[in-house]
Amino acid sequence: MMDLSGVRMLVHGLGLSGMAVIQATVPRGASVCACDDRDEARAAMLPELTRLGVPLLTPDEVAFGEEAASGEFDLCVVTPGVRPGNALVSALERRGVELISEIELAARLAPCPIAAVTGTNGKSTTTVLAGLMLRASGLRCGIGGNLSAEGYDLPLITAAVTEPADDALCAEVSSAQLERCYQ
């Protein structure tokens, strides 16, 4: 399990995955800043970010401001809503900032193996079925990810840090979520 104490992290993208990453990492000691290309996302998430003590930066502040210029970030979690080739992501990559996905961070933080299900059709059904089968076999298995199934709609990062899943996690993941996964 990855130690986040003192890790300087930027979360780029403030949708469901981005906010889940922030909520999972701040209590674990990460020094987090948030960023989103969309004005409406920044405005909508500002109260929660303020409550968590997370500075909200604009893409220009990150790309051209003192934060990035002085190499202030150890890593950047890029959420699925951020398109490949994003200018800010490219600038951070050129500066040598480690770029990972929510799924990669969840894998680093999870206390157990993750069985990831992807594909075109049937991902939610397969993920829930696999998780329930593992539970029926006596294992403690969390179920989460990009699910739309009733009761199993936890982002993977949330399931990784909150589910009592010492044995396994089953997760539905989209191809966009697999971008920047290395483990």
Side-chain angles (χ1 to χ4, degrees), residues 64-114:
F64 306 113
E66 292 182 27
E67 290 285 337
S70 61
E72 288 293 320
F73 300 114
D74 300 312
L75 79 107
C76 175
V77 177
V78 182
T79 64
V82 177
R83 296 184 181 272
N86 177 278
L88 173 56
V89 172
S90 297
L92 291 170
E93 192 167 41
R94 283 191 301 276
R95 288 187 182 98
V97 175
E98 182 181 15
L99 302 167
I100 64 172
S101 67
E102 173 230 347
I103 304 301
E104 175 69 17
L105 183 61
R108 293 180 185 187
L109 293 175
C112 58
I114 298 171

Side-chain angles (χ1 to χ4, degrees), residues 17 80-81 101-103 116-119 123 145-147 171-179 181:
S17 289
S101 67
E102 173 230 347
I103 304 301
V117 178
T118 192
K123 295 182 297 293
N146 195 35
L147 285 170
E172 176 186 326
V173 296
S174 70
S175 59
Q177 288 176 303
L178 289 173
E179 185 82 21
C181 279

